[in-house]
Amino acid sequence: GRRAMTAPLLSVEDLVVRYGAVTALHGVGLHVGAGEAVALLGANGAGKSTLVKIICGVVAPDEGTMLCEGAPAPTGDPNAARALGIGMVFQHFSLFETLTVVENIALGLGTRERIEALGARIAAVAARYGLVVEPGRRVHHLSVGERQRVEILRCLLQEPRLLILDEPTSVLTPQEANGLFAMLRRLAAEGCSILYISHKLEEIAALCDRATVLRAGRVTGECDPRRETPAAMAEMMIGEALPETRRAAPARPGPACLELCALSLPADDPFGTDLRDVTLTLRAGEILGIAGVAGNGQKELLAALSGERRAPAAADVILAGQEAGLLGVAARRRLGLGFVPEERLGRGAVAEMSLTENALLTVRNPDLVRAGLICHGALRGFAAGIVRRFGVRAAGIAAPAASLSGGNMQKFIIGREVSGAPRVLVAAHPTWGVDIGAAQAIRRELIALAEAAVGILLVSEDLAELFEICDRIAVLHGGRLSEPRAAAATTPDALGLLMGGMAAETGAAASLPEPAGAA
């Protein structure tokens, strides 16, 4: 279209950022017009996060300028960015775990408003945009999806002129994502500009007028996402065509390798979700998906599977034919359980330890430890093998886990669990916030594991992913698990209704309110 005479709301030009010997951005430029929705595309490590951190003042560039409506804007100053009306919803949340929602938002706003008044304002904005949030809850009780809503609210209360969102729908149901898009379109119509980072190309087409593609720290192209196919955009991002990952004809599943028998487990925190009569059977060679909106019992179910929470009775959990309900984490691993937790650092890996040391944390391999002594050569070889096979970008196997990007850390953790030769693999959100190339690689590994007769339980909030690789999918809502359905015989919308608690399943019907007039 015709270029307006006014300067864009925000433009950055010739940005260069160096971290030691690594150049993260090589002369990057980007502009966003008033009321325009622009997508930022790129694989992990392409420089997207660095670029948005410069825009919101968290990182100062080594070279380059930032202009707001044509006037030079200061860089490296978050308060200056906020004063310009730039709000950011980060993918890795910056919330204080021990404070309530309203306290976190008060800190983010730096306001002197009374907590009660702010609580009321939060409730009003939340209602206007359809974001369900309880202001009095402590953040450490919130699921990933709920935390994200807090971050979005915190931004909206600042009445931003530019809202930056990093992977915002990685934790939402299709219906919630549609709600988020309706909200973002309303914001754009009100004149707020949007910079949207996502790996989901179909979302970008639904929301954005323009897409800028970054690859290895350089802008490699711009396109109109409504006119490009997702495949063409993916190719711009990774520089090559994507291989297909679709699951071949579903495996003929083998014997049961993991069973939950009417497991009920009260939550261990006041805002958690009690598990109620959860029954499932996972067979060797099968990929069974568990869908659900964050906060419906996934955390509790994963803890009950990993052994971090023991079940009330031994027979509630049967792993590889053994009653395992009362066994702890190590004993379940000895029975052949591999586990990929939702939190990469802290539960999946130790931030300060090297990749080599992290490789040893969960793997029971007689070649790596003999008589209680670590065989360092073998261990280094094992770690290097994971890095090579899974394409982990790191400074080397001696690099601390904290130095890797989230996507690369995830590839390493999944590589470690897969390389541990599990009989059952429980994977929580394995491709959350991972770029499209890495996500495909992870899904291919899961499919290959299933073909090698490993049973895989995949807990994910990404319905497209579940449909792509699962044989059967069940929905977790309010701590109850629906009957699994064959992936080929159901639809994302049907599961989306279950995820929102809209459809009564047999078994769950008992918990629905009585119709009016019933005695």
Side-chain angles (χ1 to χ4, degrees):
R2 188 173 58 81
R3 262 262 158 78
M5 294 311 288
T6 53
L9 173 70
L10 175 94
S11 59
V12 294
E13 287 163 15
D14 307 321
L15 293 183
V16 176
V17 175
R18 299 184 196 89
Y19 294 115
V22 179
T23 303
L25 296 179
H26 306 260
V28 165
L30 171 79
H31 61 95
V32 182
E36 186 181 29
V38 177
L40 186 57
L41 291 175
N44 286 123
K48 305 185 302 289
S49 301
T50 306
L51 175 54
V52 293
K53 282 176 182 163
I54 291 171
I55 294 172
C56 47
V58 179
V59 169
D62 294 305
E63 294 169 32
T65 51
M66 182 159 110
L67 302 171
C68 190
E69 291 177 333
T75 52
D77 178 352
N79 290 326
R82 199 173 300 157
L84 291 171
I86 295 171
M88 165 96 194
V89 179
F90 288 94
Q91 181 195 348
H92 300 291
F93 307 126
S94 48
L95 298 171
F96 291 98
E97 298 266 330
T98 52
L99 298 182
T100 63
V101 168
V102 66
E103 288 163 348
N104 265 289
I105 289 178
L107 280 172
L109 294 175
T111 123
R112 291 198 161 74
E113 199 172 353
R114 289 179 61 91
I115 287 287
E116 296 77 20
L118 180 60
R121 208 153 64 92
I122 290 169
V125 174
R128 177 172 172 206
Y129 290 112
L131 293 159
V132 184
V133 168
E134 296 168 49
R137 284 182 66 181
R138 291 193 189 281
V139 166
H140 67 90
H141 294 317
L142 300 184
S143 68
V144 180
E146 293 164 319
R147 290 176 193 215
Q148 189 214 38
R149 284 175 226 156
V150 176
E151 291 269 10
I152 290 177
L153 270 172
R154 180 160 74 178
C155 270
L156 292 182
L157 285 164
Q158 296 169 13
E159 296 174 353
R161 297 167 68 197
L162 170 65
L163 183 61
I164 304 173
L165 295 124
D166 188 356
E167 293 288 337
T169 62
S170 50
V171 291
L172 307 178
T173 68
Q175 285 88 348
E176 284 180 308
N178 290 338
L180 175 72
F181 290 155
M183 177 197 111
L184 293 174
R185 284 193 201 99
R186 193 170 342 158
L187 276 173
E190 290 167 7
C192 179
S193 307
I194 293 167
L195 182 59
Y196 191 88
I197 303 174
S198 175
H199 298 308
K200 297 183 185 171
L201 303 173
E202 57 286 352
E203 283 182 1
I204 284 168
L207 183 72
C208 298
D209 319 304
R210 204 157 49 76
T212 294
V213 182
L214 280 183
R215 186 161 82 234
R218 292 184 167 82
V219 174
T220 54
E222 274 210 356
C223 66
D224 179 341
R226 294 163 301 192
R227 301 215 177 116
E228 292 288 343
T229 63
M233 287 196 283
E235 210 163 319
M236 286 172 84
M237 282 162 60
I238 60 174
E240 57 192 30
L242 273 181
E244 276 288 301
T245 54
R246 288 217 87 82
R247 180 112 152 90
R252 278 178 292 289
C257 56
L258 173 67
E259 295 167 82
L260 294 181
C261 312
L263 170 71
S264 290
L265 193 62
D268 57 353
D269 78 52
F271 291 108
T273 304
D274 300 338
L275 296 179
R276 297 183 293 193
D277 287 331
V278 174
T279 296
L280 71 86
T281 301
L282 172 70
R283 301 187 171 280
E286 169 185 51
I287 303 181
L288 174 58
I290 294 189
V293 185
N296 274 287
Q298 290 93 327
K299 215 164 63 178
E300 290 77 8
L301 178 63
L302 289 162
L305 289 167
S306 70
E308 289 161 282
R309 295 271 326 268
R310 290 174 168 80
D316 289 353
V317 181
I318 295 176
L319 180 59
Q322 310 270 329
E323 294 192 350
L326 302 176
L327 299 179
V329 176
R332 293 192 195 190
R333 283 199 172 272
R334 278 195 288 278
L335 287 175
L337 180 70
F339 188 73
V340 177
E342 180 176 7
E343 301 88 359
R344 288 161 198 168
L345 291 177
R347 281 181 76 205
V350 180
E352 301 79 12
M353 286 168 72
S354 70
L355 292 184
T356 307
E357 292 162 333
N358 271 297
L360 187 64
L361 288 181
T362 66
V363 173
R364 301 208 161 325
N365 180 332
D367 298 335
L368 303 181
V369 179
R370 291 211 186 95
L373 296 174
I374 298 171
C375 309
H376 286 284
L379 180 59
R380 282 194 295 271
F382 178 70
I386 296 171
V387 168
R388 211 170 33 245
R389 177 171 160 199
F390 287 82
V392 178
R393 288 180 54 173
I397 55 172
S403 69
L404 272 67
S405 74
N408 280 302
M409 197 57 237
Q410 186 70 344
K411 288 195 279 190
F412 185 81
I413 291 168
I414 285 171
R416 175 187 71 196
E417 296 303 310
V418 167
S419 307
R423 295 169 70 171
V424 176
L425 179 67
V426 175
H429 318 293
T431 60
W432 186 67
V434 172
D435 72 70
I436 191 161
Q440 297 293 62
I442 288 169
R443 289 177 195 140
R444 280 199 300 276
E445 288 291 344
L446 294 177
I447 290 169
L449 260 193
E451 283 165 1
V454 175
I456 298 176
L457 191 69
L458 174 60
V459 178
S460 175
E461 285 149 23
D462 182 345
L463 275 183
E465 167 170 271
L466 292 171
F467 274 95
E468 192 175 331
I469 69 171
C470 294
D471 304 309
R472 295 186 299 147
I473 306 175
V475 172
L476 191 62
H477 178 262
R480 292 178 182 276
L481 193 67
S482 72
E483 270 297 303
R485 303 174 172 194
T490 185
T491 65
D493 283 339
L495 292 184
L497 288 173
L498 286 173
M499 287 161 74
M502 299 303 175
E505 279 273 312
T506 47
S511 63
L512 291 173
E514 291 283 304

